Amino acid sequence: MSTTSLTDRLGSLLMAPVHLLMRIIDIPLRAVQKTTGIGGMAAVFLAPNMLIFGIFVLLPLVINFVYSMTGGTAFFLSERQFVGTDQYARLFQCANYLDPMSCQEDAFWTAVGNTFWFVILQVALMIGVSLITALILNRDLAARSFWRAVFFFPVLLSPVVVGLIWKWILQRQGLLNFGLYQFGIEPYTWLTDRNWTFIATIGVSIWAHMGLYTLILLAGLQAIPKDLYEAAEMDGTKPARVFRRITLPLLMPNLLVVVVLALIKAVQIFDEVFVLTGGGPGTSTLYLTQYIYETGFASALRNPGLAAAASILMGLVLVVLTLVQLGIGQRSEKKGKR
């Protein structure tokens, strides 16, 4: 018996259970196809995913909205009283929205202010750093694949691990102060100074997430035809003008994706900061997601309804900002086609 014949027989034996399973599955699928037709089969295959989406996404959203219309400290809806929009009114009860201390929920507006400045600075720096890194990695570098892996590695880490790593580095007896001490510089309390803790949370979040955005931008850069750069080089176009006239416009779809993802991630910042600073010192790094968590679960005077109302408002803001950015991106794309 030849080797080829033996291999074929062995393959047939191994595939026999698979063929039997496919025949068993084929029986109900043919019955469903006769009932729904070929067009209805798409809905049949989508049904399991839609069921999971409904149970784990839509249903929690509905429950969260119902919670926001109730009051009290009980967790079960049957034990909570309906209060209408009182929770929303409580959040917006302020004499001056720019002064959190004049608001009934001063912690909420402090968290809103901190989150606002965090998003502005972190997203801007994130995009800038990711773009510069992608441009560098797009060049012909030695061990280019290694450097790409190095920049992407932090994305694979758990946010809690990221927070613990940087807490070990930045604490008073940490690695950074040890390095400074070798040069005769006194140790500094990086995690207890209000100004430095805010900067630290921005830096840590950029370090942890920039790898993903760098890869997205790098994919966009590699999709740009090299002929355009060669033609620009032959015309003697300056590098700055090449970047402004060729690279940036063609990279805009990827850049828009990065902006939307970075914005959503920045607004939802929680894990790394909670481990790194716990929202302190004071409320200097108290961001919106941590306020929602503490109000709904961790506070001694927990208020799930108030936390739910705050999360609904945060979700609406994210939806509006995303739609605005997508609208701007579509307009820019239409202008580019013209």
Side-chain angles (χ1 to χ4, degrees):
M1 185 181 294
S2 65
T3 306
T4 304
S5 177
L6 182 61
T7 304
D8 292 341
R9 291 188 63 183
L10 183 60
S12 299
L13 289 174
L14 292 175
M15 291 301 296
V18 177
H19 291 155
L20 178 61
L21 179 62
M22 295 303 297
R23 288 177 183 176
I24 295 173
I25 295 174
D26 192 53
I27 294 172
L29 288 179
R30 286 183 180 276
V32 171
Q33 184 177 344
K34 288 180 180 179
T35 304
T36 62
I38 296 178
M41 290 299 291
V44 173
F45 285 113
L46 286 174
N49 287 333
M50 296 304 296
L51 182 63
I52 294 173
F53 180 79
I55 293 175
F56 294 103
V57 178
L58 291 181
L59 183 59
L61 283 175
V62 173
I63 294 174
N64 191 51
F65 178 74
V66 174
Y67 262 99
S68 71
M69 307 293 283
T70 61
T73 59
F75 276 113
F76 295 104
L77 282 173
S78 59
E79 300 174 3
R80 298 179 61 80
Q81 59 181 353
F82 180 78
V83 297
T85 59
D86 287 357
Q87 304 287 15
Y88 296 95
R90 180 175 174 178
L91 290 175
F92 284 99
Q93 189 172 349
C94 280
N96 180 6
Y97 291 108
L98 298 179
D99 181 14
M101 300 308 297
S102 67
C103 303
Q104 181 177 352
E105 284 298 317
D106 58 314
F108 171 74
W109 287 101
T110 299
V112 169
N114 290 343
T115 304
F116 173 80
W117 287 112
F118 177 86
V119 170
I120 294 296
L121 296 173
Q122 193 259 14
V123 172
L125 290 172
M126 178 78 80
I127 294 171
V129 172
S130 299
L131 181 57
I132 293 171
T133 306
L135 290 170
I136 294 173
L137 293 178
N138 194 45
R139 295 175 176 271
D140 293 328
L141 300 175
R144 185 168 57 177
S145 299
F146 169 77
W147 291 113
R148 290 176 182 176
V150 167
F151 280 101
F152 187 74
F153 176 73
V155 180
L156 304 177
L157 297 177
S158 164
V160 174
V161 173
V162 171
L164 290 174
I165 289 173
W166 282 98
K167 191 171 185 177
W168 174 63
I169 294 173
L170 296 174
Q171 62 187 352
R172 183 172 179 81
Q173 304 299 327
L175 185 63
L176 179 58
N177 278 331
F178 175 77
L180 294 176
Y181 182 76
Q182 305 306 311
F183 293 96
I185 302 175
E186 289 296 321
Y188 193 77
T189 52
W190 305 100
L191 298 180
T192 56
D193 185 291
R194 296 178 66 91
N195 296 319
W196 280 111
T197 49
F198 182 76
I199 296 172
T201 57
I202 293 176
V204 169
S205 64
I206 291 174
W207 179 85
H209 303 292
M210 65 168 286
L212 175 63
Y213 307 130
T214 297
L215 283 185
I216 295 174
L217 294 175
L218 184 60
L221 289 171
Q222 292 181 339
I224 299 175
K226 296 186 181 296
D227 297 345
L228 298 176
Y229 292 113
E230 292 173 358
E233 186 178 356
M234 291 177 64
D235 292 339
T237 308
K238 295 182 179 179
R241 186 174 177 83
V242 171
F243 175 78
R244 195 170 59 252
R245 295 294 185 179
I246 297 176
T247 305
L248 202 56
L250 295 177
L251 193 62
M252 195 56 65
N254 298 70
L255 202 56
L256 179 62
V257 172
V258 167
V259 171
V260 172
L261 293 178
L263 181 67
I264 294 173
K265 189 67 178 179
V267 173
Q268 296 176 334
I269 187 71
F270 173 68
D271 309 73
E272 300 99 322
V273 177
F274 186 73
V275 174
L276 188 65
T277 66
T283 57
S284 60
T285 57
L286 176 65
Y287 299 122
L288 197 52
T289 308
Q290 184 174 344
Y291 167 81
I292 293 170
Y293 163 74
E294 292 184 348
T295 302
F297 301 99
S299 175
L301 301 173
R302 63 175 181 266
N303 189 334
L306 191 65
S311 66
I312 292 291
L313 293 174
M314 185 179 75
L316 290 175
V317 169
L318 281 174
V319 170
V320 171
L321 290 175
T322 302
L323 291 176
V324 169
Q325 290 180 77
L326 291 176
I328 294 173
Q330 289 178 354
R331 288 184 181 179
S332 300
E333 190 175 343
K334 289 179 180 178
K335 288 182 179 179
K337 290 180 179 180
R338 292 177 187 175

